[in-house]
Amino acid sequence: MSRFYYHPEINQSTILALSHEESLHLKTNRIQPETEILLSDGLGSLYSGIFKGFVSQLAQVEVVGKVKKEDNAYQLWIWQPLLKNWSRLEWLIEKLVEVGVSGIGIFYCERCVRERISSTKEERWRKIIIEAAKQSGRIRFPILKVITNWSDFLTQCRSNNLNTIIGDFSSSESISDYLKEQSSFSLQIIVGPEGDFSEGEKEQLHSLPKVCFLRFSNQILRSETAALYASIVSIASLESKHENCY
């Protein structure tokens, strides 16, 4: 897909101003006035627009019309506990966007070393999602949820009403075998922290509806590696099922 520029609120037949970041990207690409460009709202719609020039260093774009609408072929949420190393977590967020997950959840549990997430850090993660989505040509951006209360996390997982997979290295059933038998296109995967969930947390996770504890791999994986591995295996299965429906 050709490069597009992001704006969260796009209305047809209007002139909008891109953000400082997007305006800088447009300037770096040496786009000339009256050139047609593509815009996305991150919600699955792609628009054509005409770059009109800069006003106060912000790119002004006249929206011409919608050229594409992308629907969800499947729904896949990945729930990742907070990691001690911020750079590993940011790497994971970027890669999860690139491989095609629908939602990324960051949550806190007993064995997480970090307890607080600043608004600055959460905003940085959202920018990583936008840049990774643009780089990989995704016009429907993943949703980011950050939950620092364990009870709120369980409530969110229940309200999602999705088939739920929880990583368990001791399980006799693998995620690959499980996915072969499933016909659903909706799934959420919960990855354990470094050091695994506490026994009390495991009991509460067992109470979630439509839950299965599955082995991701025959190797012991880091928490962030397990999240990426499980997402790739799941997306491959979900995309294959979707293609076979047509």
Side-chain angles (χ1 to χ4, degrees):
M1 178 182 292
S2 300
R3 182 181 179 88
F4 60 82
Y5 299 89
Y6 169 67
H7 193 284
E9 297 179 0
I10 301 176
N11 296 309
Q12 298 188 44
S13 303
T14 60
I15 294 180
L16 54 79
L18 298 182
S19 67
H20 284 284
E21 292 87 352
E22 294 298 287
S23 296
L24 181 59
H25 290 169
L26 189 147
K27 188 174 183 179
T28 302
N29 291 330
R30 299 181 179 180
I31 304 298
Q32 299 300 311
E34 301 305 320
T35 299
E36 183 177 0
I37 64 172
L38 295 174
L39 302 165
S40 176
D41 57 6
L43 301 174
S45 294
L46 190 68
Y47 298 82
S48 64
I50 304 297
F51 168 52
K52 307 302 289 185
F54 290 97
V55 175
S56 300
Q57 298 186 333
L58 298 181
Q60 307 294 306
V61 181
E62 181 180 356
V63 181
V64 176
K66 186 181 294 187
V67 296
K68 183 179 180 181
K69 175 67 176 178
E70 185 179 277
D71 295 321
N72 278 329
Y74 56 82
Q75 187 173 9
L76 176 64
W77 271 83
I78 300 293
W79 289 97
Q80 170 66 46
L82 280 172
L83 298 174
K84 179 180 179 180
N85 189 316
W86 285 128
S87 63
R88 286 183 182 171
L89 183 56
E90 291 178 356
W91 172 86
L92 174 63
I93 291 172
E94 179 185 71
K95 299 310 170 188
L96 290 176
V97 176
E98 291 177 2
V99 300
V101 304
S102 312
I104 301 171
I106 309 297
F107 68 97
Y108 174 78
C109 56
E110 285 184 26
R111 291 174 180 167
C112 289
V113 176
R114 294 186 181 273
E115 297 184 15
R116 295 183 178 179
I117 303 172
S118 67
S119 58
T120 302
K121 182 63 68 176
E122 188 172 340
E123 181 60 28
R124 174 174 169 79
W125 294 343
R126 295 188 188 282
K127 288 182 178 179
I128 290 173
I129 288 174
I130 292 171
E131 287 305 310
K134 289 173 59 181
Q135 181 66 33
S136 54
R138 294 188 60 180
I139 60 175
R140 182 177 291 277
F141 298 174
I143 299 169
L144 174 67
K145 287 188 180 294
V146 179
I147 302 177
T148 56
N149 179 280
W150 176 256
S151 296
D152 291 343
F153 164 65
L154 293 176
T155 299
Q156 181 64 59
C157 289
R158 290 190 181 94
S159 66
N160 284 348
N161 195 31
L162 302 174
N163 289 342
T164 302
I165 293 175
I166 299 175
D168 182 0
F169 185 71
S170 65
S171 175
S172 60
E173 185 178 6
S174 71
I175 187 172
S176 298
D177 291 338
Y178 170 86
L179 291 170
K180 290 177 183 177
E181 304 299 324
Q182 291 297 311
S183 58
S184 173
F185 289 99
S186 300
L187 187 67
Q188 63 183 349
I189 297 174
I190 302 173
V191 179
E194 299 158 338
D196 204 1
F197 292 111
S198 68
E199 291 304 315
E201 289 171 335
K202 288 180 181 179
E203 288 183 10
Q204 291 176 305
L205 289 171
H206 270 288
S207 70
L208 293 176
K210 299 184 288 187
V211 66
C212 287
F213 284 73
L214 303 172
R215 186 181 72 256
F216 291 167
S217 170
N218 292 328
Q219 286 74 43
I220 298 176
L221 305 175
R222 288 180 180 271
S223 181
E224 69 273 20
T225 309
L228 184 59
Y229 179 89
S231 66
I232 292 173
V233 170
S234 299
I235 288 169
S237 175
L238 292 168
E239 288 183 343
S240 176
K241 288 182 174 67
H242 183 260
E243 290 173 359
N244 291 335
C245 290
Y246 296 91

